[in-house]
Amino acid sequence: MFDIDIRLLRLFNSIYERGTISEAAHELNIRQPAASSGLKKLRQHFDDQLFVRVGHKMQPTNTARDMLPLVVEAIEKMRIVNEFSKGFDSLNASRTFRISMTDSHYLSVVPTLISYFDKHAPSIKLDIVPIDNDTALLMSKGEVDLVIGFVPQLQERFYQQRFFDEHYVVIANSENTHILNNDLSLELYQSAEHIGILPRGTGHYLIEYEIQKLNIERNIVLRLPSHLGLGTIVQRTNLIATVPEQMGRLLQEYVGVSLYPLPFELPSWSIKQYWHEYAHHNADNQWLRQTCFNLLQS
């Protein structure tokens, strides 16, 4: 038996995720014979096939499934060791942070961060990616540094810190002829034509659930997977939409939509930043979290 090195662990993880040796070799930038040789060593070491071919894919054995959490943890800890530093010099550091957030926060969060980085961290770059069903896995692998939004499913092995509480409002065309005297009643809300927005991977479904619990019926004639372009659609039609207040105020400023309070009570939801436990002591991540908290919390 020989000692397993980090390269073999990365190979194991890549085969597990990709399902083929060729795709794993491509991801790791190694030749396929080298990947096959590495898998052979892993099989000998653990006295198990680890992956068996079923159709065109390599399916993990029970042993491989049991190993996966340990392998992911080992890879992440090695990454932390490689990146360890006593502090983070933002003025001289050159790196890219990847942050997942909903599109409803692009308009408010990103300009604030970029303005700060321009003065205090000139060589820091941002890679903004959407929140989706793979976000938790990507964070556990160190491929996403931080999540900003309302993501209640990030619980076990994640830290979180509250920024502010989000309330919901209604936006409508500033010349919407169905809303008289600037008054949006419950009756009018239910009879209006709505845009439904349900971004993937977020807690927005809880808002939909709360509205249903109140037995409030909406005539949804258009469904969108995100808030992108929402303001323009609302301003050019008589459709209305229920959105986070912060986004509503930005669309009011930039697009000219009108803002109305909801004609019923909904609970507020906390907008937070989330990070994986393996990044908790990383100096770079600590600086990013503290910066975001200082700029965004209220």
Side-chain angles (χ1 to χ4, degrees):
M1 183 176 290
F2 55 89
D3 290 335
I4 295 293
D5 63 33
I6 192 65
R7 291 172 297 180
L8 289 176
L9 293 183
R10 290 196 180 107
L11 174 64
F12 173 95
N13 189 55
S14 187
I15 295 174
Y16 198 105
E17 289 186 351
R18 302 299 176 183
T20 70
I21 295 177
S22 59
E23 289 186 24
H26 179 74
E27 180 182 52
L28 298 174
N29 197 28
I30 61 176
R31 299 177 64 183
Q32 185 167 335
S36 298
S37 175
L39 177 58
K40 182 179 179 180
K41 291 179 180 178
L42 287 167
R43 285 169 167 168
Q44 291 173 345
H45 182 87
F46 293 105
D47 192 25
D48 188 88
Q49 283 293 98
L50 298 179
F51 302 96
V52 294
R53 184 171 297 281
V54 178
H56 298 292
K57 291 290 185 178
M58 301 287 284
Q59 297 295 332
T61 64
N62 289 335
T63 297
R65 291 190 179 95
D66 292 340
M67 286 173 53
L68 181 65
L70 299 175
V71 170
V72 171
E73 181 177 356
I75 292 172
E76 177 60 19
K77 286 185 175 179
M78 182 58 70
R79 184 187 70 82
I80 293 173
V81 170
N82 287 336
E83 296 178 357
F84 178 79
S85 63
K86 294 183 178 180
F88 182 70
D89 181 4
S90 61
L91 280 174
N92 297 305
S94 177
R95 65 154 294 176
T96 298
F97 286 112
R98 177 174 287 181
I99 303 177
S100 285
M101 65 178 72
T102 59
D103 58 338
S104 64
H105 292 108
Y106 290 173
L107 293 176
S108 57
V109 171
V110 174
T112 301
L113 293 179
I114 291 297
S115 295
Y116 181 86
F117 289 174
D118 187 50
K119 295 179 181 179
H120 303 283
S123 296
I124 295 297
K125 298 179 176 62
L126 282 180
D127 181 9
I128 305 298
V129 296
I131 299 171
D132 58 29
N133 296 331
D134 293 327
T135 296
L137 176 62
L138 293 174
M139 294 180 76
S140 71
K141 296 167 59 179
E143 295 180 18
V144 169
D145 298 293
L146 201 65
V147 167
I148 295 176
F150 173 46
V151 196
Q153 64 268 32
L154 295 181
Q155 295 289 338
E156 186 178 356
R157 307 188 78 176
F158 288 91
Y159 290 87
Q160 55 183 260
Q161 186 177 37
R162 175 190 168 277
F163 284 158
F164 55 86
D165 289 335
E166 186 77 276
H167 303 271
Y168 276 71
V169 297
V170 177
I171 59 172
N173 184 330
S174 56
E175 298 180 357
N176 191 311
T177 57
H178 296 92
I179 304 177
L180 302 176
N181 301 321
N182 208 35
D183 181 25
L184 180 63
S185 65
L186 178 58
E187 181 181 2
L188 183 54
Y189 181 87
Q190 293 189 100
S191 64
E193 294 183 328
H194 288 252
I195 300 173
I197 307 105
L198 192 59
R200 291 193 308 163
T202 73
H204 191 83
Y205 66 91
L206 292 176
I207 290 91
E208 301 293 323
Y209 174 70
E210 290 292 335
I211 293 176
Q212 291 177 10
K213 276 204 317 184
L214 295 171
N215 293 318
I216 294 174
E217 296 184 0
R218 292 180 296 166
N219 179 21
I220 297 177
V221 300
L222 173 64
R223 293 190 181 274
L224 298 175
S226 73
H227 294 87
L228 294 177
L230 176 64
T232 301
I233 296 173
V234 168
Q235 188 62 0
R236 292 185 177 183
T237 67
N238 276 328
L239 304 182
I240 68 174
T242 304
V243 300
E245 182 177 6
Q246 188 179 69
M247 179 176 212
R249 295 197 178 281
L250 287 169
L251 293 177
Q252 184 181 44
E253 177 183 353
Y254 296 148
V255 185
V257 300
S258 293
L259 217 63
Y260 301 93
L262 282 170
F264 51 88
E265 291 291 330
L266 277 184
S268 60
W269 286 270
S270 293
I271 302 303
K272 303 175 181 179
Q273 62 176 347
Y274 304 80
W275 63 97
H276 196 271
E277 63 180 1
Y278 296 133
H280 188 61
H281 298 291
N282 180 274
D284 298 20
N285 197 281
Q286 288 177 340
W287 176 86
L288 177 64
R289 297 189 320 253
Q290 189 61 52
T291 298
C292 289
F293 181 76
N294 292 341
L295 294 173
L296 304 175
Q297 68 89 25
S298 61

